[in-house]
């Protein structure tokens, strides 16, 4: 959804891991309690009624999605593992 510029409402990091990376109110709206139907309804109404909020969330969503593509993240993880491997190899030499 975010890669297509859709505003999203997500649960907090306690329930949804990706939320820890999101900027609340910029990339997405974040709910503290995913079981709070009133809060969800309020967030959806907020997005619907505020063109400024909708635009900000759309822009943030696209930017976030571009920065967190799976292929790019996989390359970063691979690089991290390579660096760790090199450090361990150096430690063993000493």
């Amino acid at each position: 959804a975010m890669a297509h510029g859709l505003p999203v409402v997500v649960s907090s990091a306690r329930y949804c891991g990706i939320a820890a990376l999101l900027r609340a109110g910029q990339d997405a709206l974040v709910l503290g309690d995913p079981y709070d139907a009133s809060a969800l309804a309020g967030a959806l109404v907020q997005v619907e009624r505020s063109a400024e909020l909708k635009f900000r969330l759309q822009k943030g969503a696209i930017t976030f999605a571009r920065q967190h593509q799976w292929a790019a993240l996989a390359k970063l993880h691979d690089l991290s593992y390579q660096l760790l491997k090199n450090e361990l190899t150096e430690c063993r030499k000493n």
Side-chain angles (χ1 to χ4, degrees), residues 2 18 21-22 27 59-68:
M2 294 179 82
I18 195 85
L21 301 175
L22 296 168
D27 303 321
K59 185 178 170 186
I62 290 170
T63 301
F64 181 86
R66 285 183 183 150
Q67 293 172 345
H68 294 85

Side-chain angles (χ1 to χ4, degrees), residues 7-29:
V8 296
V9 179
V10 300
S11 300
S12 67
R14 178 176 176 203
Y15 302 96
C16 174
I18 195 85
L21 301 175
L22 296 168
R23 297 172 302 152
Q26 298 295 318
D27 303 321
L29 293 183

Side-chain angles (χ1 to χ4, degrees), residues 13-64:
R14 178 176 176 203
Y15 302 96
C16 174
I18 195 85
L21 301 175
L22 296 168
R23 297 172 302 152
Q26 298 295 318
D27 303 321
L29 293 183
V30 180
L31 296 177
D33 178 2
Y35 299 104
D36 185 345
S38 295
L40 174 58
L44 295 174
V45 167
Q46 217 181 342
V47 171
E48 182 61 30
R49 290 186 179 165
S50 173
E52 179 187 334
L53 175 62
K54 186 185 292 186
F55 178 76
R56 186 171 65 241
L57 293 175
Q58 289 171 328
K59 185 178 170 186
I62 290 170
T63 301
F64 181 86

